[in-house]
Amino acid sequence: MRPDPARDRSDNVRANLRLLEGLLAEVIDDLDGEAAAGLLEEARRAGEGDRLADLFQGLTLDQAVFLARGLAVQAQLANIAEDVAGLRAPVEIGQAADEARIATLSAAIDALTYNGLDRDEIERLMRDLQVSPVLTAHPTEVRRRSVVERQFEIARLLGLRRHALPPDLDQRLRDDLFRELALLWRTRLTRPERITVADEIRNTLAIVSNAMLPALAELYESWGRQFPSGPDFGKVLQLGSWLGGDRDGHPGVEAEALREALTLQARLIFGFYLTEVRRLREDLSLAAELTPVSDALLALAEASGDDNPHRRDEPYRRALVGVEQRLTVTMDRLGGTRFGGQAEAYAGPDAFIADLEVVAASLLAHGGRRVVGSRLASLIAVAKGCGFHLLSIDLRQNADVHERVLAELFGHAAPGLDYRDLDEATKVTVLLGELANDRPLRSPFVAYTPETLKELAIFDAAAQALSAYGPRALASYIISKSDSVSDILEPYVLFKQAGIAFGGMKPTSRLPVTPLFETIGDLERAPGIIAAWLAMPQARSLLGDPARQEVMLGYSDSNKDGGFFTSRRAATQAAQALAQVCEDAGVALRLFHGRGGSVGRGGGPTGQAILAQPRGAVRSRIRLTEQGEMITRRFGDAPTARRNLEELVAAALVASGKGRAAGEGDDDRFAPQMDALAAGAFAANRGLVYEDAAFEAFFWSATPIAEIADLKIGSRPPSRGASRRIADLRAIPWVFSWSQARFMLPAWYGFASGVRTAGLSAATLREMGQGSDFFATVLSNMELALAQSDMDLAGQYADLFPDPTARARIFDAVRREWEAACELTLAVRGATRLLQLQPEVADAVALGRVRVDPLNRLQIELLARRRRGEDDSRLRLGLHQTVSGIAAALRSTG
């Protein structure tokens, strides 16, 4: 009989879980007593339904808080058991285990060769390749960093038990696991206070330091060995960040936050460089009398000033002593350290790289490539990719803020001009007029409003960062709510006030501007806006040579605006049309995909999403956001980070080889059907969410949105205003709330209505799924969301809404749409149950369901008490712990 890897893995998951839960029971018995351990066991044995509801209704608040924590920890342990059983399995939830995946760069090259590309074309694609995951600090990571660290240590220890161990070692591992579980059990799951921007920066940089940077170095070294004549891999894959730069609706991000982010990043990367240089110095003990060296290397050794007699005849070591001294002084300047030294600081990363290349060239000339070694080659690649800044930071602000600031500047510089009252054409004329000269608008003698002063300070800090850390320290300036050409021009005029842009007949800028198109309407208008912008002569000089334009596509707000399918369709159509616009204008396009972690916000397997991009839309250049808990999940340890980073690059390379003509697309022959489906889905979503007068109140009663808004899970407020309007609510808590209540509404609602309105049969849908990468990806992601939802539990949440007539109308509409979506999915798949064709994913969802259902029922009970007017700190704590546990069990927040 052939072995069944999926079944073996499932057995291993359950064995791991039995061990962890058994040890947790011992921990609780030891620390809290037999009665406490018995209560958690009683909840486990109660199963589901009425027995569980009866148990929860009789709980005291102290018991409820205890059970919420116990069930939440069990959900976290289930995730660890699953991850370790799959050796940090490369199959991402939502990705079929047997699905063809392009997971490595060599596999991507093989795939392109198989598809008929010749070697020259593949090499050209690789030379042009620029891929950047951008880490953002949106409030989607429920777990505290302390909890995450305990979980990683438990996973490490559990992984050591994969092989049979002698009894004494096995017992020692069990004891170590017991200790870690005890520490986890006594660690708070939620934060007592909202974290600051500085906390977010430090938490994320901890992951970069511990996992992503080592993974990056390993990848550069591996690629360098596999493709010795390949491109500079440090330029192929670069890390980005919004930490300290994203101030859209965020009162805590000021100029000081940007400076702090760059300072901390500099300390981290200089620490890495110093460690690597010291190791190289220890390794390269080559004596001058035994091996020749280049004149450049000798000069570098002499310039070091190193007169240690023990290194007199070791020029490589002397040279690296000088490099180390210069790095230390440079770190003092940029990282705010005080190690001191008399050496000359490096003017920039290029000078540091040049010194390393002198060492490498001498070794190569007098010993060959194999003598250069992987450590030095990897260090050079990291220096090219990370410079002195480590992560390239994006700045982001809302277009409305730019308009207000410019209105104030114009009001003082040109009295009588009310910029906000101008029509679009006049605004563009005024802005172009400002870019045609070098005159600043701001004056040191004017008392500006706090908002204007804050914005001008950010631009000043940005100018200082570009001068101190180099041109790649800041990647782009992103404009939220872009809907016009004037929105693109406004930041350039503001740049001019700080010396980032320079006016004249051919204005120039040190920082590119990226318009972000977020709503369905904005995505539809985006190609026309970019076409009008690129037609301006000033655009060519501002974009640089060669001219490059980045455009960001928003998946979150477009989903909240028009629903799951319409959002995905609008983003894909915009990508294809933008590629054509830029191709016609002779401008290189880079798309920046604003994806969230959940399906409702553009999430799902990253490689799959990139491969589903339309022809000509990737063109070797792509950026995409990595948010909240997905940063920990995809990059939390070095092996996982390395795998996901390489898959990201591999997928981008294959997508770039799909075809260079922007107008050609796999989906063109299905365009009428998909357009009709999108229109019907849009109408259904708008009809429910925005046109039913009772829906807003239903949402606030039937989901834990109020409790999520109260959670201290991020520094950014959950809403753009003080109102409860859905339009003002950020997309993250919107999606988070529906997933907690097991509706998963943003990930599927409207699809079935769209199919019905468009008159599409199951056979047509099946043909679309087989012939369109985009549609196949949409179906796969939607199927997962449907499988994770539970309309029976959702109905119990709906019962929390006090208006019975409106409740019945709204929930009946939701349930009918869900049932229709399930029927369509099964018909297209030719299956009898959801995820039938993805058994490993189905097994993971089933395991999560066992853990999440009791947490949902306990949350419903606690919400009911709160809706009845109870207000106790223990009640809030219990609710927050159920939120944490449900997020863990579903592996999804916002």
Side-chain angles (χ1 to χ4, degrees):
M1 180 181 295
R2 295 176 60 187
D4 183 350
R7 177 50 50 197
D8 290 345
R9 182 171 180 269
S10 178
D11 291 342
N12 289 336
V13 170
R14 284 164 173 77
N16 287 342
L17 191 53
R18 283 195 299 273
L19 172 65
L20 293 178
E21 289 191 336
L23 287 171
L24 178 63
E26 292 178 26
V27 165
I28 295 173
D29 189 56
D30 278 11
L31 299 181
D32 297 316
E34 185 178 347
L39 180 60
L40 187 58
E41 177 64 14
E42 184 181 2
R44 188 184 70 81
R45 290 181 178 276
E48 58 184 33
D50 293 339
R51 290 181 58 198
L52 205 54
D54 290 343
L55 172 65
F56 290 160
Q57 286 173 6
L59 294 175
T60 66
L61 278 179
D62 287 332
Q63 289 174 323
V65 169
F66 169 83
L67 263 187
R69 183 157 58 99
L71 293 171
V73 170
Q74 284 185 338
Q76 294 168 359
L77 297 183
N79 289 345
I80 295 172
E82 185 179 13
D83 288 344
V84 172
L87 307 182
R88 297 287 179 187
V91 176
E92 192 171 347
I93 192 161
Q95 171 88 50
D98 57 351
E99 183 178 333
R101 297 172 69 248
I102 309 296
T104 65
L105 194 56
S106 58
I109 292 171
D110 290 343
L112 292 174
T113 302
Y114 179 81
N115 289 334
L117 273 70
D118 60 32
R119 180 175 177 178
D120 289 343
E121 175 68 3
I122 293 173
E123 288 182 354
R124 185 170 69 81
L125 290 175
M126 289 182 65
R127 283 196 306 273
D128 294 342
L129 203 58
Q130 295 177 10
V131 181
S132 178
V134 180
L135 311 181
T136 74
H138 286 282
T140 61
E141 175 58 275
V142 177
R143 300 170 298 173
R144 298 174 60 216
R145 183 68 198 164
S146 301
V147 172
V148 172
E149 289 170 352
R150 295 276 69 76
Q151 291 172 351
F152 274 123
E153 183 59 16
I154 292 168
R156 186 188 71 80
L157 292 170
L158 188 61
L160 297 176
R161 299 186 77 254
R162 289 194 299 269
H163 307 290
L165 297 172
D168 58 329
L169 288 181
D170 187 67
Q171 184 57 49
R172 180 177 174 181
L173 270 177
R174 289 176 64 93
D175 291 344
D176 288 345
L177 279 169
F178 180 94
R179 176 180 179 276
E180 290 299 324
L181 284 165
L183 292 172
L184 175 62
W185 180 247
R186 286 295 197 231
T187 299
R188 270 187 290 102
L189 298 182
T190 57
R191 302 180 183 94
E193 298 295 336
R194 189 172 295 279
I195 63 174
T196 66
V197 177
D199 293 328
E200 289 178 329
I201 293 169
R202 287 183 168 85
N203 289 345
T204 304
L205 288 182
I207 296 174
V208 174
S209 176
N210 296 332
M212 296 188 77
L213 187 54
L216 205 62
E218 289 178 13
L219 276 175
Y220 291 157
E221 185 274 328
S222 174
W223 290 340
R225 280 190 290 102
Q226 292 177 68
F227 313 105
S229 60
D232 284 338
F233 288 107
K235 297 178 180 178
V236 166
L237 174 62
Q238 298 180 357
L239 305 181
S241 171
W242 281 8
L243 300 161
D246 179 15
R247 60 196 194 281
D248 178 20
H250 198 320
V253 178
E254 299 181 342
E256 186 54 38
L258 177 61
R259 294 190 186 96
E260 181 167 12
L262 285 164
T263 299
L264 293 175
Q265 290 177 191
R267 289 179 191 171
L268 199 165
I269 195 61
F270 276 107
F272 175 84
Y273 292 152
L274 285 166
T275 298
E276 293 302 299
V277 168
R278 287 166 186 154
R279 288 175 177 172
L280 283 169
R281 190 189 68 201
E282 293 170 2
D283 290 345
L284 296 180
S285 56
L286 289 75
E289 64 184 54
L290 299 177
T291 182
V293 296
S294 69
D295 292 341
L297 190 281
L298 282 174
L300 193 61
E302 289 300 317
S304 72
D306 179 27
D307 57 2
N308 188 311
H310 300 292
R311 293 192 288 265
R312 186 176 300 154
D313 66 337
E314 296 174 342
Y316 286 102
R317 281 184 164 174
R318 292 175 61 214
L320 289 167
V321 165
V323 171
E324 180 183 342
Q325 291 172 341
R326 295 189 70 184
L327 276 176
T328 301
V329 173
T330 312
M331 181 167 70
D332 284 350
R333 179 168 62 87
L334 298 180
T337 54
R338 297 182 179 180
F339 290 107
Q342 301 302 313
E344 179 186 0
Y346 282 114
D350 288 346
F352 169 51
I353 294 166
D355 281 355
L356 295 179
E357 289 181 332
V358 166
V359 176
S362 182
L363 289 169
L364 182 64
H366 301 290
R369 182 173 297 277
R370 295 170 71 180
V371 176
V372 175
S374 60
R375 183 179 297 279
L376 178 54
S378 175
L379 176 57
I380 292 172
V382 172
K384 289 180 177 179
C386 298
F388 290 164
H389 59 278
L390 179 57
L391 307 169
S392 294
I393 297 179
D394 289 322
L395 306 183
R396 184 171 77 133
Q397 183 55 285
N398 194 293
D400 292 342
V401 176
H402 300 149
E403 185 178 61
R404 290 197 298 270
V405 171
L406 278 172
E408 184 170 2
L409 292 176
F410 280 126
H412 287 287
L417 173 64
D418 191 338
Y419 178 75
R420 283 171 295 184
D421 286 344
L422 303 178
D423 59 34
E424 171 64 10
T426 308
K427 280 183 179 178
V428 169
T429 299
V430 169
L431 294 169
L432 290 176
E434 279 304 312
L435 288 173
N437 64 70
D438 282 327
R439 180 195 65 198
L441 284 172
R442 74 170 171 179
S443 167
F445 307 107
V446 173
Y448 295 111
T449 61
E451 179 181 58
T452 293
L453 290 173
K454 176 182 175 182
E455 292 301 303
L456 292 174
I458 283 280
F459 292 116
D460 289 338
Q464 294 163 6
L466 291 169
S467 298
Y469 297 93
R472 291 192 293 113
L474 303 180
S476 184
Y477 190 95
I478 299 165
I479 319 157
S480 300
K481 251 183 89 175
S482 297
D483 63 6
S484 65
V485 172
S486 63
D487 287 340
I488 301 173
L489 286 167
E490 286 168 353
Y492 286 117
V493 174
L494 292 170
F495 287 175
K496 209 178 70 161
Q497 314 313 309
I500 299 173
F502 305 93
M505 293 299 294
K506 293 184 177 181
T508 59
S509 177
R510 301 162 66 194
L511 183 62
V513 167
T514 299
L516 165 56
F517 298 101
E518 299 178 84
T519 67
I520 300 295
D522 290 343
L523 287 168
E524 291 172 346
R525 290 187 293 271
I529 293 169
I530 296 299
W533 157 242
L534 295 181
M536 295 179 174
Q538 295 87 345
R540 295 313 177 97
S541 59
L542 287 167
L543 294 177
D545 186 20
R548 298 181 182 277
Q549 177 65 57
E550 180 176 88
V551 178
M552 187 170 184
L553 306 177
Y555 290 77
S556 301
D557 283 307
S558 60
N559 180 294
K560 188 158 67 77
D561 180 36
F564 170 63
F565 184 82
T566 311
S567 167
R568 293 293 183 93
R569 176 65 174 159
T572 300
Q573 285 182 302
Q576 190 165 1
L578 286 165
Q580 185 67 62
V581 164
C582 289
E583 183 177 287
D584 292 344
V587 172
L589 170 69
R590 179 167 69 178
L591 288 174
F592 188 176
H593 297 269
R595 303 172 73 238
S598 64
V599 170
R601 295 184 54 241
T606 304
Q608 190 181 73
I610 293 173
L611 291 172
Q613 289 298 305
R615 290 182 185 272
V618 176
R619 293 173 177 263
S620 296
R621 296 175 295 274
I622 190 169
R623 291 209 296 160
L624 66 164
T625 52
E626 295 287 357
Q627 299 181 357
E629 87 282 357
M630 299 311 295
I631 296 174
T632 304
R633 184 171 168 198
R634 289 178 176 152
F635 309 112
D637 61 70
T640 307
R642 173 175 173 167
R643 185 178 58 249
N644 283 314
L645 288 171
E646 181 161 25
E647 182 175 357
L648 176 61
V649 173
L653 181 61
V654 172
S656 300
K658 284 175 66 173
R660 306 297 285 180
E664 299 175 6
D666 293 331
D667 303 322
D668 286 354
R669 63 192 178 106
F670 300 114
Q673 293 92 329
M674 285 198 273
D675 288 344
L677 199 166
F682 180 80
N685 190 80
R686 298 293 298 188
L688 177 74
V689 176
Y690 295 101
E691 295 170 12
D692 189 313
F695 186 81
E696 183 179 293
F698 175 86
F699 168 65
W700 281 88
S701 291
T703 76
I705 176 59
E707 290 68 30
I708 288 170
D710 188 46
L711 268 174
K712 309 300 189 283
I713 59 174
S715 64
R716 184 185 302 272
S719 182
R720 289 184 171 89
S723 77
R724 289 160 55 102
R725 293 175 64 242
I726 291 172
D728 293 335
L729 188 71
R730 294 188 182 278
I732 293 166
W734 166 257
V735 174
F736 195 176
S737 303
W738 289 116
S739 66
Q740 284 279 308
R742 300 296 292 281
F743 283 84
M744 306 294 179
L745 190 102
W748 55 264
Y749 192 84
F751 178 82
S753 291
V755 169
R756 184 169 57 253
T757 301
L760 303 177
S761 66
T764 301
L765 294 175
R766 194 176 301 116
E767 184 182 359
M768 292 166 65
Q770 292 169 349
S772 163
D773 290 341
F774 161 77
F775 197 73
T777 299
V778 166
L779 285 176
S780 177
N781 290 337
M782 187 178 72
E783 183 177 9
L784 171 64
L786 291 170
Q788 287 187 314
S789 59
D790 187 312
M791 284 300 111
D792 291 336
L793 279 170
Q796 294 183 41
Y797 280 94
D799 287 341
L800 297 170
F801 183 45
D803 183 336
T805 303
R807 178 178 68 230
R809 181 183 70 251
I810 293 171
F811 185 70
D812 286 352
V814 170
R815 183 156 202 152
R816 285 196 305 271
E817 184 76 8
W818 179 83
E819 290 171 347
C822 289
E823 290 175 6
L824 284 169
T825 302
L826 295 178
V828 172
R829 296 287 192 224
T832 57
R833 64 181 186 279
L834 294 172
L835 300 177
Q836 183 177 340
L837 304 182
Q838 302 182 56
E840 192 165 345
V841 176
D843 199 45
V845 170
L847 179 65
R849 187 180 292 274
V850 170
R851 303 299 157 192
V852 74
D853 285 2
L855 279 159
N856 278 123
R857 295 181 187 280
L858 180 56
Q859 187 179 82
I860 291 166
E861 169 61 27
L862 297 179
L863 284 172
R865 296 186 188 188
R866 197 172 191 199
R867 300 289 191 268
R868 290 195 296 266
E870 295 183 34
D871 187 19
D872 187 291
S873 60
R874 292 169 296 172
L875 180 59
R876 291 193 296 274
L877 176 59
L879 278 166
H880 291 168
Q881 290 182 156
T882 63
V883 169
S884 176
I886 293 169
L890 294 175
R891 293 191 181 238
S892 175
T893 56

